[in-house]
Amino acid sequence: MEKEQTFVLIKPDGVQRRIIGRIIQRFEDKGFSMVAMKMLIPNQELLQKHYEELMFKPFFPCLICYMLSGPVIAMIWQGKDVVRQIRSMLGEGRNPIEQKPGTIRADYALELQRNLIHGSDSCESAQKEINLWFNQKEIVDWKPSDLNWVCE
């Protein structure tokens, strides 16, 4: 089995709107395996580390305030080419209006600042984000019984 992993975060608007199951279903339908998931209200320190490359952007304080506004769902997904494929499933940009029909952001996100979901943009950032949000004991190493039907 391909062991590439990616980090996905359902943001407070996705949790509050109760569309977690619909999002998870899309990844499972694509054949990816969830290897970790937790619900939490992140603290400011965690969010500042996660979004450190945006720290000097004018919208940074509003982003942190929004991300502190309620619970999030942090997940690790595994599968063949999972980083690129999930990123494509989310929608390539942040603005839901500019997304291709059928992407998660096009279908569910309502505005730019509340764009519902985050996904790692590279294998390197996925590993960094996974290590930031999870410890090794929280990650389950398992093999789905249908794997031979899903992957070559």
Side-chain angles (χ1 to χ4, degrees):
M1 175 182 182
E2 178 67 43
K3 294 282 188 172
E4 184 176 292
Q5 295 180 336
T6 195
F7 175 76
V8 174
L9 186 70
I10 300 176
K11 297 177 181 181
D13 54 325
V15 174
Q16 294 292 342
R17 291 175 51 212
R18 297 177 303 278
I19 57 175
I20 299 162
R22 287 182 249 174
I23 293 168
I24 289 172
Q25 186 68 53
R26 288 185 180 214
F27 300 146
E28 288 183 329
D29 287 348
K30 191 72 173 171
F32 299 129
S33 300
M34 182 190 301
V35 296
M37 179 173 77
K38 62 183 170 182
M39 176 184 251
L40 70 150
I41 298 176
N43 61 43
Q44 189 162 347
E45 181 183 351
L46 174 62
L47 292 170
Q48 287 176 333
K49 287 179 184 175
H50 180 84
Y51 289 113
E52 67 186 349
E53 72 279 356
L54 303 175
M55 190 172 290
F56 298 106
K57 299 286 186 180
F59 61 83
F60 185 75
C62 291
L63 172 64
I64 297 301
C65 185
Y66 154 64
M67 292 299 294
L68 290 169
S69 69
V72 299
I73 303 292
M75 299 175 283
I76 302 171
W77 289 88
Q78 184 169 285
K80 186 174 184 178
D81 197 26
V82 72
V83 173
R84 186 182 64 80
Q85 288 195 64
I86 283 186
R87 187 79 173 173
S88 179
M89 291 172 72
L90 301 182
E92 297 298 328
R94 292 178 28 233
N95 191 339
I97 295 171
E98 298 171 356
Q99 302 312 301
K100 293 178 184 174
T103 63
I104 291 170
R105 286 191 182 123
D107 291 350
Y108 299 119
L110 301 175
E111 60 183 63
L112 176 63
Q113 295 305 320
R114 295 186 179 182
N115 63 10
L116 196 73
I117 196 163
H118 164 83
S120 301
D121 61 3
S122 68
C123 290
E124 295 76 25
S125 65
Q127 195 56 56
K128 177 186 168 206
E129 292 168 350
I130 287 168
N131 291 337
L132 184 62
W133 289 82
F134 290 91
N135 66 56
Q136 284 300 311
K137 291 180 181 180
E138 295 174 305
I139 302 171
V140 178
D141 185 18
W142 70 287
K143 183 178 177 181
S145 60
D146 67 350
L147 191 59
N148 291 334
W149 295 102
V150 176
C151 297
E152 291 183 35

